[in-house]
Amino acid sequence: MIAAEAAEHSIILNLLNEGTVTSVGLASLRRESELMGLPLVDVLQANDMVSEADLAKIYADLKGLRFLDLSRRTPNRAWVLALPENIARRKQCLLFGEVSGQLVAAVADPFDASVHAVLSARFERPIQYVVSARYQIAEVIDEIYGGARAQGARLISSAPVASAVETATATGLNMAEQFDSVVDEAVDRRASDIHIEAEADRLRIRYRIDGRMLEARAYPLDASASLISRIKVLCTVDITERRKPQDGRFTHRSFEQEIDVRVAFIPTARGERVTLRLLSQDRSRLTLETLGMGIEIRQAVERLIHRPYGIILLTGPTGSGKSTTLYAALQEINSVDKHIITVEDPVEYDIAGVNQVAVDEEYGVSFSAALRSILRHDPDVIMVGEIRDAPTAHLALEASLTGHLVFATLHTNSAVGAVTRLLDMDCEPYLVASALIGVMAQRLVRKICTNCKRGYEPNETERKIMGISADRTSAEIYRGAGCSRCVRSGYYDRVGVFEFVPFDAGLSSMVMEKCTTEVMTEYASKHGAILLRDDAIAKVRDGLTTLEEALRIARSEG
C-alpha cells in the first residue's frame, strides 16, 4: 500500500510539474476516483494523463528494478509456456527466460506480493524480476498462448494413456497443466459449471457464468483423449470406460481457496462429454440474508424453521439455488442440542455438526431407503435433498407428523404447484394438509454490475409494469452500461428471487377439497403470500437487477 501511494505521489508530482494537470483538475479527478471506487492511477490512465509504460517505469524506479520494453525483446516461448496461462493472465506476469541460473520474470506490478508467492511456489529457483508495461505483457500472453492453442496439442501416439496425460505435447502444451488452467480460469471468472464437448473440428470448452453459457476456449480434437483421461484420473473413475455414463468428484485448490468439483461423463455421437460443477466451500457459510431474501420473507422463514415439526418444501428448476438455500436454513438452526440428518444426491457441502447421508443406488441407498433408516436414529430435523417418487413423499410427510421438522425440495414451477405434485404422487389430501407448514419457490436473477450501474427514467410501458404513477417525475430504475469487470454484459453475480406461501387453515381446507392451483394461488396472494413476480419487481426497485431479468422470471412462472 505504501509503495502504491509512493508511485501515485510520484506520478502526480510529474503531472503538476509538467502542467498536464492543475490543482483544481486534480481535485476533480480525485472525486471521480472516489465516486467510481477506482484507484486514482486508473482514473489518470483512463483520462490519458499517464500511460501504462510510464507507470511501469515509475514502478521500476521505486522498486530498483530494470524496465524491459517487450516490443524490443522477444521472450523465450518455451519458458512462457512453462507458466499456466491462467496464472500469467491473472497475475499479469510471464517468464521471460533464464540468465546465470536465475529465471527472469516480467511483471506489471512489482509491489504485488501475491505474484512473488505464486512464482516462488511453482519454481523453486531464484527469480530475477523486471517490470514491463501491462498492455505489452497482455499482448505477449495473447500471442504465445493463443498461438500454441491454435497449433494444437498432438500427443505422442505410441505413449500409453496414463503417461500420455502427463506428456508435454509437440507444441509445448501439457494437457494436465492446461486442465488446471481451465479450472482456475473458471473459478476466477465465477463460473458455476465447465462444459467440455467434442464438435466436428474441435474440442470446445464453455463456462456457465451468472446462469449464461459462454465459450471460453477451444482445443484440437487430438487433445480430447488426454484431457478427459486426466479428469478421470483425478475422479478415480474407470479410465478405459467410454460407453456408459460415469460420475466422480475431486478437490482442486485454486489460488487461496479449495473447490469441490463434481464431474459427470456421458457418451455422445462425437465422443465423451464432460460437465464439471464447481462448488466453493465458502458457499456453505451463506446465510438467509446473504442469499437476497427480503426482510419480510426472511422473518417468515425464520419463524417456520424454528417450528418443532412439519414439512417445509422448496421448489424450483435445476440450478435455481434450492440446495444452497436449504443449507443456509440448516445452518440457521444448527446447534449442539439438535440432531440433524440429511439425505442428499450427492452431498454438496460439508456442514459441521450435521450427519449427511449420500444416495448410492448401486448399494441400495435410495432416498426412501435412507429416509426409512434415518427415522430409526431419532433425529430432530431431517433434510431430504429431493422428493422424486411416491414412497419418499409419503415417508417425508409422515415423518413431519411424528415430531420431526422436515426440509425437502420438489421440482415444480410455483410454490402452490407443490401441492398438486404431491397429490399426483398419490399422497392423501389429509396428509398433505396436515403436514405442510410452508412452501417456497426460488429462481436466480443476474445482478446489475455495481461498477457500471446507471440510472434511467422508465418509459410508459416500464412504469406500468413497475406500478409507477405517471405523475411521478423522479422515478428511476437501473441497468448496467457494460464494463471490463462484467465483460460488457452489465451484470455481475446473481441473487435469489423468492416466492413464499405460508399454509394456514384456509389453504389446508382447499387442499382437502383438491382445489386447482389457480384457486389456491389467488387465495394465497390475498392472505400473506409473496409471489415470485412481486419479489422480482421489488429487486428492480431496489436497484439489484433489471426489469428485463424480472420479466424473465415472470415468464418462467407460466
Side-chain angles (χ1 to χ4, degrees):
M1 181 62 71
I2 294 173
E5 290 173 356
E8 184 179 293
H9 182 67
S10 177
I11 292 168
I12 290 169
L13 281 179
N14 287 342
L15 292 174
L16 289 171
N17 291 336
E18 293 170 1
T20 307
V21 65
T22 63
S23 298
V24 175
L26 182 60
S28 175
L29 290 168
R30 286 192 187 279
R31 283 195 299 273
E32 184 179 346
S33 168
E34 292 171 2
L35 184 64
M36 298 181 69
L38 295 173
L40 180 58
V41 169
D42 290 356
V43 175
L44 291 171
Q45 283 184 268
N47 285 275
D48 296 324
M49 292 184 175
V50 61
S51 69
E52 290 184 349
D54 292 336
L55 186 60
K57 289 173 184 175
I58 292 169
Y59 279 159
D61 288 341
L62 289 170
K63 194 71 175 176
L65 299 175
R66 183 162 62 97
F67 170 76
L68 182 65
D69 186 349
L70 293 179
S71 66
R72 298 174 180 271
R73 295 285 301 277
T74 304
N76 183 298
R77 182 176 180 277
W79 274 115
V80 171
L81 291 172
L83 188 66
E85 182 181 358
N86 67 294
I87 294 179
R89 287 192 184 279
R90 181 176 177 134
K91 299 300 181 183
Q92 284 296 292
C93 65
L94 53 86
L95 289 184
F96 191 82
E98 184 180 18
V99 176
S100 304
Q102 287 188 321
L103 295 181
V104 179
V107 298
D109 183 359
F111 298 108
D112 187 347
S114 67
V115 178
H116 299 256
V118 167
L119 294 180
S120 297
R122 193 164 190 90
F123 305 101
E124 296 179 356
R125 297 175 56 181
I127 300 175
Q128 181 185 129
Y129 291 94
V130 295
V131 185
S132 297
R134 191 179 298 272
Y135 79 92
Q136 290 185 339
I137 291 177
E139 286 175 354
V140 171
I141 289 172
D142 288 341
E143 179 184 351
I144 293 182
Y145 289 98
R149 283 202 301 275
Q151 186 179 344
R154 293 180 174 80
L155 295 173
I156 300 172
S157 58
S158 60
V161 173
S163 61
V165 172
E166 305 296 337
T167 302
T169 65
T171 61
L173 284 179
N174 180 306
M175 294 315 295
E177 287 192 348
Q178 285 297 306
F179 176 67
D180 288 345
S181 172
V182 166
V183 178
D184 283 343
E185 182 186 5
V187 172
D188 194 36
R189 294 178 66 180
R190 303 172 297 102
S192 60
D193 304 270
I194 302 171
H195 297 261
I196 301 174
E197 51 207 354
E199 294 196 316
D201 58 347
R202 61 179 181 154
L203 184 69
R204 181 171 68 167
I205 296 179
R206 294 188 292 169
Y207 300 150
R208 186 179 291 279
I209 301 173
D210 296 337
R212 299 300 174 93
M213 295 282 275
L214 298 173
E215 186 157 338
R217 302 187 185 188
Y219 291 100
L221 280 175
D222 297 0
S224 178
S226 61
L227 187 61
I228 292 175
S229 294
R230 170 62 178 171
I231 302 171
K232 287 182 176 180
V233 167
L234 292 171
C235 294
T236 63
V237 300
D238 188 350
I239 197 171
T240 62
E241 180 57 69
R242 299 185 180 88
R243 294 171 297 176
K244 68 178 183 181
Q246 295 190 87
D247 295 320
R249 66 191 305 163
F250 63 92
T251 302
H252 177 86
R253 184 163 186 81
S254 182
F255 297 98
E256 305 304 322
Q257 59 179 319
E258 291 286 336
I259 303 295
D260 289 326
V261 185
R262 245 171 47 203
V263 188
F265 302 87
I266 190 169
T268 71
R270 292 196 177 111
E272 283 186 283
R273 188 188 195 284
V274 188
T275 300
L276 300 95
R277 170 68 59 88
L278 308 180
L279 303 168
S280 170
Q281 293 180 356
D282 290 342
R283 283 195 171 270
S284 64
R285 292 185 285 274
L286 285 172
T287 64
L288 294 174
E289 184 175 4
T290 54
L291 292 175
M293 278 190 192
I295 188 167
E296 190 177 350
I297 291 182
R298 191 169 74 249
Q299 288 176 346
V301 171
E302 286 172 350
R303 285 194 296 271
L304 279 187
I305 65 178
H306 285 94
R307 294 268 291 269
Y309 59 86
I311 186 167
I312 302 168
L313 293 177
L314 187 56
T315 74
T318 301
S320 60
K322 299 187 298 297
S323 295
T324 304
T325 300
L326 284 178
Y327 280 118
L330 285 181
Q331 298 209 92
E332 190 82 24
I333 61 174
N334 187 14
S335 62
V336 70
D337 62 335
K338 273 195 170 62
H339 180 197
I340 303 174
I341 303 182
T342 74
V343 53
E344 308 170 54
D345 183 23
V347 174
E348 293 191 0
Y349 303 113
D350 180 57
I351 305 178
V354 175
N355 298 285
Q356 296 171 269
V357 179
V359 167
D360 192 336
E361 299 282 358
E362 187 177 346
Y363 292 96
V365 185
S366 62
F367 275 109
S368 56
L371 187 52
R372 204 173 280 112
S373 179
I374 283 170
L375 290 171
R376 292 194 285 269
H377 288 264
D378 188 32
D380 298 305
V381 180
I382 302 169
M383 185 191 98
V384 183
E386 184 183 343
I387 294 178
R388 296 177 179 171
D389 51 38
T392 307
H394 280 91
L395 283 167
L397 290 169
E398 288 169 359
S400 69
L401 291 176
T402 54
H404 306 90
L405 181 64
V406 179
F407 297 90
T409 71
L410 199 62
H411 283 291
T412 63
N413 286 332
S414 65
V416 174
V419 174
T420 306
R421 182 80 179 99
L422 289 174
L423 296 177
D424 288 343
M425 289 181 172
D426 295 327
C427 293
E428 295 294 337
Y430 77 87
L431 194 60
V432 176
S434 303
L436 265 180
I437 58 175
V439 188
M440 285 178 57
Q442 179 172 343
R443 300 290 190 278
L444 292 174
V445 294
R446 293 181 293 171
K447 290 174 67 175
I448 300 171
C449 175
T450 55
N451 193 52
C452 59
K453 183 176 178 179
R454 301 287 186 273
Y456 70 97
E457 191 75 24
N459 59 35
E460 186 178 343
T461 303
E462 291 170 329
R463 282 175 172 270
K464 186 176 179 181
I465 294 170
M466 294 286 296
I468 301 172
S469 60
D471 58 347
R472 185 178 163 192
T473 57
S474 60
E476 190 175 51
I477 56 178
Y478 300 87
R479 62 163 65 104
C483 64
S484 57
R485 179 175 181 256
C486 61
V487 200
R488 306 297 167 191
S489 69
Y491 297 98
Y492 189 89
D493 208 358
R494 291 189 290 177
V495 65
V497 172
F498 302 91
E499 178 170 285
F500 177 73
V501 178
F503 264 70
D504 58 13
L507 267 180
S508 295
S509 64
M510 296 177 93
V511 172
M512 294 290 289
E513 296 168 9
K514 295 186 178 181
C515 292
T516 64
T517 301
E518 291 75 17
V519 171
M520 286 190 283
T521 301
E522 184 179 353
Y523 172 88
S525 64
K526 295 176 181 177
H527 293 81
I530 298 170
L531 304 183
L532 276 172
R533 186 183 185 280
D534 298 333
D535 195 40
I537 293 297
K539 285 180 168 59
V540 176
R541 290 196 192 97
D542 293 340
L544 289 173
T545 191
T546 62
L547 187 57
E548 290 80 7
E549 283 289 286
L551 292 176
R552 180 175 63 82
I553 291 300
R555 285 194 296 270
S556 74
E557 292 182 76

